[in-house]
Amino acid sequence: MNISLKEHSFKTFENPQGSSFHERMLMHQQFLNYLGKTEAMNYRLEIASACHSEVVLRGGNHIEQGNYISFVCNDYLGFTQHPKVKAHVIQQIDKYGVGSGASPLIGGYYSFHRELEEKLCRFFNRSTGSALAFTTGFTANSASLLALLKKEDIAIVDMAVHSSVYEGLMGTNTKRFMHNNLESLELALKLSKDKYRTKMVIIDGVYSQDGDIAPLSEIYALCKMYGALLMMDDAHGIGVFGRTGRGIAENHELLEKIDIISGTFSKSLANVGGFVIAQPEVIQYLQFQSRQYAFSAAATPAITGVVKCLELIDEEPQWRDQLWANIRYFKNGLTSLGFNIGNTESAIIPVKIGAPEQTCKVGSELLKMGVYTNPIMYPAVSMKDCRIRMSVLATHTKEQLDKTLNSFDMLKQKFNISLTHD
Ligand code: PMP
């Protein structure tokens, strides 16, 4: 098999149709060789400390062991280390132990699962029975959609939605509309008007690679006009947006009106898992008809930390204020240095570099300067739009942000990074 490096090496992620297991293994080896040549060493690094704004990397394979300022963790409010969250989880583990022992339908559903789901209902101002907790945010999306949408239905999706949404669309019809483009959405709605039993528009509240946000009110109005359901994944919005941290829907006063809100526990809620908020009939249907939910072990007692985090969002709004102060400071710093950070309006900061090789190099150089970031490459983004992606946290100190800005400043000269804005 003759595969040239560069573009083709990245295609290993694309699941090439018809290629065999052996070809895939070979392609992947070539991909790893390619990353090695570009010194792309930022992937799957071993962290030997807590998830925090500064981490200890274990080192090895070009990486020095030591402390690094970290922008790779999505613990926006810093709750993974909050003493009240830790104390609550330890207490619940004392009571329940460390495993759930079975899937929810056949013996793995405990009081702590019910308490979490009831807390989610109250948090999102919905009636009891409107929430379902999953073991990951990925399955919250993929499992629900697989169970809900079938071949007489259509999913109309923003082309930039998270891959967990695409994973859930295998059994239905799909039409993609241009990212955040209302005309493109309306056209898709018009074209599918009388053809399908159910039309569901699916968007993210905050887009995970660009950090920009959905024009929710307008999208909601279009859904009403064309009789479509609306599902929004607000993984990066919960805890960050809205007057009381309920996310993008709260900003638009639509918290109770969106048909399905999904999200993750792995960001502001400082845990592992995910959830779906919907009408109680939809939740009851998913409990029995979603195979990934029904035939997979329920979450462990550690998930009870989410209840405490939901309380802290109300009780300690200072973390959200601090997060926004940090976001503003860091964005201003990068734009005054002339970097292109696209249209981000959230805690996700993409520094657009362009070509994959240069993006890998910038990531590696940042590591050498003690700053740990994620270079994002094709196919997560297009070949020409590779970037360094960072998550700003409430717990980043001014000193850490300044040191990072200085590092970017030095790299700007070294790599002659194009400073043109979109
Ligand atoms: N949705 C979005 C928008 C995400 O960014 C992510 C994860 N980064 C997920 C869903 C999946 O969440 P989890 O990590 O809990 O599986």
Side-chain angles (χ1 to χ4, degrees), residues 74 135-139 141 161-165 204-209 233-236 262-267 271-274 348 389:
N74 300 305
T135 46
T136 69
F138 196 99
T139 23
N141 283 337
V161 289
H162 190 256
S163 68
S164 52
V165 169
D204 285 357
V206 178
Y207 285 88
S208 59
Q209 300 311 327
D233 171 3
D234 206 16
H236 298 272
S262 65
T264 176
F265 298 147
S266 67
K267 308 195 192 302
N271 213 288
V272 172
I348 298 166
R389 179 190 186 280

Side-chain angles (χ1 to χ4, degrees), residues 208-224:
S208 59
Q209 300 311 327
D210 275 316
D212 55 342
I213 61 182
L216 183 62
S217 298
E218 292 82 351
I219 291 178
Y220 176 78
L222 283 174
C223 289
K224 286 279 140 203

Side-chain angles (χ1 to χ4, degrees), residues 155-161 166 174-189 200-204 207 214-215 219 222 230:
I156 300 173
V157 294
D158 185 296
M159 60 192 293
V161 289
Y166 285 113
T174 303
K175 202 177 251 320
R176 301 196 307 169
F177 64 93
M178 306 274 286
H179 176 51
N180 272 351
N181 184 319
L182 297 170
E183 280 166 22
S184 172
L185 168 60
E186 185 159 14
L187 184 64
L189 282 163
M200 188 185 284
V201 172
I202 309 173
I203 58 171
D204 285 357
Y207 285 88
I219 291 178
L222 283 174
L230 176 58

Side-chain angles (χ1 to χ4, degrees), residues 264-298:
T264 176
F265 298 147
S266 67
K267 308 195 192 302
S268 293
L269 301 175
N271 213 288
V272 172
F275 67 89
V276 163
I277 303 288
Q279 294 286 337
E281 313 83 78
V282 175
I283 296 298
Q284 282 159 12
Y285 170 86
L286 291 175
Q287 286 166 355
F288 285 83
Q289 306 300 336
S290 158
R291 295 210 288 171
Q292 291 75 4
Y293 179 81
F295 296 112
S296 185

Side-chain angles (χ1 to χ4, degrees), residues 329-344 349-354 358-359 361-363 365-366 369 373 385-390 401-422:
Y329 185 76
F330 198 53
K331 275 175 69 173
N332 279 342
L334 285 166
T335 43
S336 19
L337 287 173
F339 283 98
N340 178 0
I341 58 170
N343 299 323
T344 179
I349 315 287
V351 171
K352 309 259 188 136
I353 307 289
Q358 203 176 29
T359 309
K361 279 204 187 96
V362 171
E365 288 296 319
L366 283 167
M369 295 162 128
T373 61
D385 197 25
C386 300
R387 74 280 305 272
I388 297 292
R389 179 190 186 280
M390 292 173 284
L401 297 178
D402 284 340
K403 187 173 169 217
T404 307
L405 291 170
N406 283 340
S407 305
F408 270 102
D409 196 15
M410 282 153 79
L411 288 180
K412 191 174 77 178
Q413 337 274 327
K414 182 163 175 178
F415 287 105
N416 189 21
I417 295 167
S418 149
L419 300 177
T420 49
H421 286 259
D422 281 338

Side-chain angles (χ1 to χ4, degrees), residues 5-7 9-10 29-40 356-357 360 377:
L5 292 182
K6 297 201 172 163
E7 296 97 70
S9 321
F10 286 92
Q29 284 311 315
Q30 294 189 337
F31 173 67
L32 293 180
N33 286 342
Y34 176 66
L35 286 187
K37 283 193 188 116
T38 55
E39 289 184 80
E357 293 84 356
C360 285
M377 323 286 270

